[in-house]
Amino acid sequence: MSLSEFEIIQHYFKTAALMQNRSEVVLGIGDDGALLEIPDGHELAISTDVLVESVHFPSGASPEKIANRALAVNLSDLAAMGAKPLCFTLGLVLAEPTTIAIQVKGIVESGKALMRSTATAGESIYVTGTLGDGAIALASMGIDSHLGEGFRIEEGQASEQCRQYFEDAYFFPEPRIDFSRSCANFITSAIDISDGLVGDLAHICESSGVGALIETDKLPVSGSARCCVSNENLLRAALYGGDDYELCVTVAKENEEAFVSQAEKQGTGITRIGHIFEGDSVRLENSAGNSIALDQSAYQHFKD
Amino acid sequence: MSLSEFEIIQHYFKTAALMQNRSEVVLGIGDDGALLEIPDGHELAISTDVLVESVHFPSGASPEKIANRALAVNLSDLAAMGAKPLCFTLGLVLAEPTTIAIQVKGIVESGKALMRSTATAGESIYVTGTLGDGAIALASMGIDSHLGEGFRIEEGQASEQCRQYFEDAYFFPEPRIDFSRSCANFITSAIDISDGLVGDLAHICESSGVGALIETDKLPVSGSARCCVSNENLLRAALYGGDDYELCVTVAKENEEAFVSQAEKQGTGITRIGHIFEGDSVRLENSAGNSIALDQSAYQHFKD
């Protein structure tokens, strides 16, 4: 028997497991609207996404995986704001194709949210975790990415273990909430790496009116990524790949030691990948100090 | 030239007209998330919808009409909460079919939101405006409704003027924000009539643990509605039609005079259509005092 809209809501969503009894949620599901109370001295951070089957997630993936990814991807935005997750709203279109409209809401101390517009020259650039896994995961699952046809898993090089690693990276990314909450005081600007490092760092540059230099030999990549793609594609994935949901943050020189120490204490791997300079664009340089040209086709979103 | 996602956002949405400089919106479009500040002593009311072309709005309607309806339908939910509109978020899937994910946000004094769960026996039931226009509008535009094939415009009876009236009723419903803000102190429970009067009143009954008697001869209908459908279908539209976005509210006896006077002063037409009793279901009665059976097929959402 197919369930009505109201039965689906009652059965799957108006459940004790999803009603977490947060005091800030004055009224949850089941009225014309919900009611939220924001503690004094705090702001509400919101981030929203609409995900369509076959476009934003593979057709046929299990509901658990799809739900986890939809939530994690948006929690990553909250992490990039330095906010503590509070609740989410969900709109579902259960048709062909399935569409998921999700909005996560978090709480952040007033005036303390991390933004894109507050980087200044001289600051160091750090990223969490490893880069490129998101794009390699798409290739591993046979899904096209904006990196084009030349971007592919090397024949015979992806072990079953690697494939599992990338599938987990794709469906179960770890939003860097604890890291950003713990290290927020040392961070001057932040963005999550959903469009690719270069593209997202360009957003910081544009919003802050600065330039950014990336030292390409410093980019952190996973062992599984090294196994599965050529060196050239590895660099492309790390620079332009997107879907990584790691954070890219800037840190002032005087706070760098404290920042590194706090991140280590908190348990999140971080890597210094470059610095902010007075300018207006993202530049790449290898360890020999040679400039590397930006791959404009791999990176559609950048504007001068 | 087709525009990128970022260009569309920049060109159409990050505009002065849409940035209304509300002090509560600390940070709008353009970062990982937005930031809202809720004034002390207030709560944030939110209501969300996902609308799919050809399902929730007719294919081929103008963007202005679609946008207006999407916003108005959700503002109607805020009206039913007694909240003052603040801002909205929008997620768009520009594909075949177009999908719109909208979430409106409003502000309401803490503890003062209007809910479904607070009706008590003895109170009067009022509705704003006229009922049934939403369902007749669908029929007028040739769109099927849950009222079935027998529900149709009478041949030759719908003038061009009537068709225009119903198209406006569908695309430009007037959310009853001013009414609910103005009369909130006299209202004990409220819901907006999106699923049909009987279905929505049943939500109040279920949430409040009461019964509701509707006096069918008192239901307010528009002159255009009278012109276009048979008497039988007129009653069906008013009772079960939905898409009206009027408010159904309950009012305690001692506040009734003040409520009616305030609604008149504010300029919203209201009609007393029945009362709440100790019970657990919606009942219908005509002016002769005879019971009328509920049409269960027209009204799928009701549960005992």
Side-chain angles (χ1 to χ4, degrees):
Chain A
M1 194 188 83
S2 76
L3 299 173
S4 75
E5 178 183 338
F6 291 89
E7 287 165 335
I8 289 172
I9 291 171
Q10 191 71 35
H11 191 76
Y12 292 103
F13 297 103
K14 207 173 169 179
T15 63
L18 285 177
M19 299 292 199
Q20 297 193 36
N21 265 332
R22 297 272 166 93
S23 62
E24 295 92 342
V25 181
V26 178
L27 186 67
I29 205 167
D31 211 298
D32 292 283
L35 292 173
L36 302 181
E37 191 174 58
I38 311 306
D40 280 2
H42 289 73
E43 292 164 355
L44 183 72
I46 57 177
S47 177
T48 193
D49 242 340
V50 185
L51 307 167
V52 180
E53 185 176 345
S54 298
V55 180
H56 302 102
F57 58 88
S59 190
S62 73
E64 185 209 348
K65 284 181 183 167
I66 298 167
N68 197 92
R69 180 171 156 85
L71 198 54
V73 161
N74 280 276
L75 287 173
S76 177
D77 283 313
L78 285 193
M81 302 294 289
K84 184 179 167 190
L86 170 61
C87 63
F88 66 94
T89 57
L90 183 69
L92 277 182
V93 180
L94 299 173
E96 197 67 52
T98 294
T99 300
I100 300 168
I102 191 166
Q103 182 163 126
V104 293
K105 291 154 213 294
I107 303 282
V108 60
E109 296 79 0
S110 295
K112 296 279 189 183
L114 303 175
M115 302 191 192
R116 303 176 174 186
S117 54
T118 41
T120 54
E123 294 172 349
S124 288
I125 305 168
Y126 282 83
V127 294
T128 59
T130 56
L131 302 179
D133 287 348
I136 299 172
L138 286 181
S140 164
M141 293 188 288
I143 300 170
D144 289 340
S145 77
H146 65 280
L147 297 180
E149 285 188 8
F151 186 79
R152 58 169 187 272
I153 303 292
E154 293 299 305
E155 284 294 333
Q157 282 192 23
S159 65
E160 189 47 48
Q161 201 179 351
C162 280
R163 289 195 189 276
Q164 189 59 52
Y165 171 86
F166 288 118
E167 194 181 308
D168 286 351
Y170 184 81
F171 285 113
F172 301 96
E174 189 191 333
R176 298 298 189 179
I177 296 283
D178 292 341
F179 162 78
S180 82
R181 297 285 298 163
S182 167
C183 297
N185 283 338
F186 309 120
I187 295 173
T188 55
S189 74
I191 195 167
D192 84 323
I193 305 174
S194 51
D195 294 330
L197 175 63
V198 173
D200 287 313
L201 199 44
H203 290 313
I204 286 187
C205 290
E206 209 173 320
S207 302
S208 299
V210 297
L213 182 85
I214 299 174
E215 300 167 45
T216 57
D217 294 318
K218 302 239 175 104
L219 298 177
V221 292
S222 68
S224 297
R226 280 186 205 285
C227 279
C228 296
V229 296
S230 68
N231 282 342
E232 191 195 341
N233 275 335
L234 190 60
L235 183 59
R236 279 165 60 79
L239 286 173
Y240 309 106
D243 275 332
D244 279 332
Y245 306 106
E246 297 293 349
L247 296 188
C248 175
V249 303
T250 57
V251 180
K253 281 249 178 298
E254 63 269 27
N255 289 324
E256 215 163 333
E257 200 177 308
F259 168 74
V260 171
S261 158
Q262 180 63 27
E264 190 173 345
K265 199 169 143 195
Q266 191 271 321
T268 297
I270 53 166
T271 307
R272 187 186 180 285
I273 60 159
H275 68 273
I276 300 292
F277 62 88
E278 285 183 25
D280 61 1
S281 59
V282 176
R283 293 190 203 160
L284 311 179
E285 206 174 272
N286 66 16
S287 57
N290 297 322
S291 275
I292 299 174
L294 282 182
D295 181 340
Q296 295 291 349
S297 73
Y299 147 55
Q300 316 160 27
H301 303 319
F302 184 76
K303 295 193 204 61
D304 284 319
Chain B
M1 193 188 82
S2 76
L3 298 172
S4 75
E5 178 182 338
F6 290 90
E7 288 165 333
I8 290 173
I9 291 171
Q10 191 70 36
H11 190 77
Y12 292 103
F13 297 104
K14 207 174 169 178
T15 63
L18 284 178
M19 300 292 200
Q20 298 193 36
N21 265 333
R22 295 275 166 91
S23 63
E24 295 92 342
V25 181
V26 179
L27 186 67
I29 206 167
D31 211 297
D32 291 283
L35 292 172
L36 302 180
E37 190 173 60
I38 310 306
D40 281 2
H42 289 72
E43 292 164 355
L44 183 73
I46 55 177
S47 178
T48 193
D49 242 341
V50 185
L51 307 167
V52 180
E53 185 176 345
S54 298
V55 180
H56 301 103
F57 57 89
S59 191
S62 74
E64 185 209 348
K65 284 180 184 169
I66 298 167
N68 196 92
R69 181 172 156 83
L71 197 54
V73 161
N74 280 275
L75 287 173
S76 178
D77 282 313
L78 285 192
M81 302 294 289
K84 185 181 167 187
L86 170 62
C87 62
F88 66 93
T89 57
L90 184 68
L92 276 183
V93 180
L94 298 174
E96 197 67 50
T98 295
T99 300
I100 300 167
I102 191 167
Q103 182 164 126
V104 293
K105 292 156 212 296
I107 303 280
V108 59
E109 296 79 2
S110 296
K112 296 278 188 183
L114 303 175
M115 301 190 193
R116 303 176 174 186
S117 54
T118 40
T120 54
E123 293 170 352
S124 289
I125 305 169
Y126 282 82
V127 294
T128 59
T130 56
L131 302 179
D133 287 347
I136 298 171
L138 287 180
S140 164
M141 293 188 290
I143 300 169
D144 288 340
S145 77
H146 65 280
L147 297 180
E149 286 188 7
F151 187 79
R152 59 172 187 273
I153 303 290
E154 293 299 305
E155 285 293 334
Q157 283 193 20
S159 65
E160 190 47 48
Q161 199 179 354
C162 280
R163 287 194 191 277
Q164 190 58 53
Y165 171 86
F166 288 119
E167 194 181 308
D168 286 350
Y170 184 81
F171 285 113
F172 300 96
E174 187 191 334
R176 298 298 189 180
I177 295 283
D178 293 340
F179 163 78
S180 82
R181 297 286 297 165
S182 166
C183 297
N185 283 338
F186 309 120
I187 296 172
T188 54
S189 75
I191 194 167
D192 83 322
I193 304 173
S194 51
D195 293 330
L197 174 65
V198 173
D200 288 312
L201 199 45
H203 290 314
I204 286 187
C205 289
E206 209 173 320
S207 302
S208 300
V210 296
L213 182 84
I214 298 173
E215 299 167 47
T216 57
D217 294 318
K218 302 238 175 105
L219 298 177
V221 292
S222 68
S224 297
R226 278 185 206 284
C227 278
C228 296
V229 297
S230 67
N231 281 342
E232 191 194 343
N233 276 333
L234 189 61
L235 183 60
R236 279 165 60 80
L239 286 173
Y240 309 108
D243 275 331
D244 279 332
Y245 306 107
E246 297 293 348
L247 296 187
C248 175
V249 303
T250 57
V251 179
K253 281 250 178 297
E254 64 268 29
N255 290 324
E256 216 163 330
E257 200 177 309
F259 167 75
V260 170
S261 158
Q262 180 63 27
E264 190 173 347
K265 198 170 143 193
Q266 191 272 320
T268 297
I270 53 166
T271 308
R272 186 185 182 284
I273 60 159
H275 69 272
I276 300 293
F277 62 88
E278 285 183 24
D280 60 1
S281 58
V282 177
R283 292 190 204 160
L284 310 179
E285 207 174 272
N286 64 17
S287 57
N290 297 322
S291 275
I292 299 175
L294 283 180
D295 180 341
Q296 295 292 348
S297 73
Y299 147 53
Q300 315 161 29
H301 304 318
F302 183 76
K303 294 193 205 62
D304 285 319

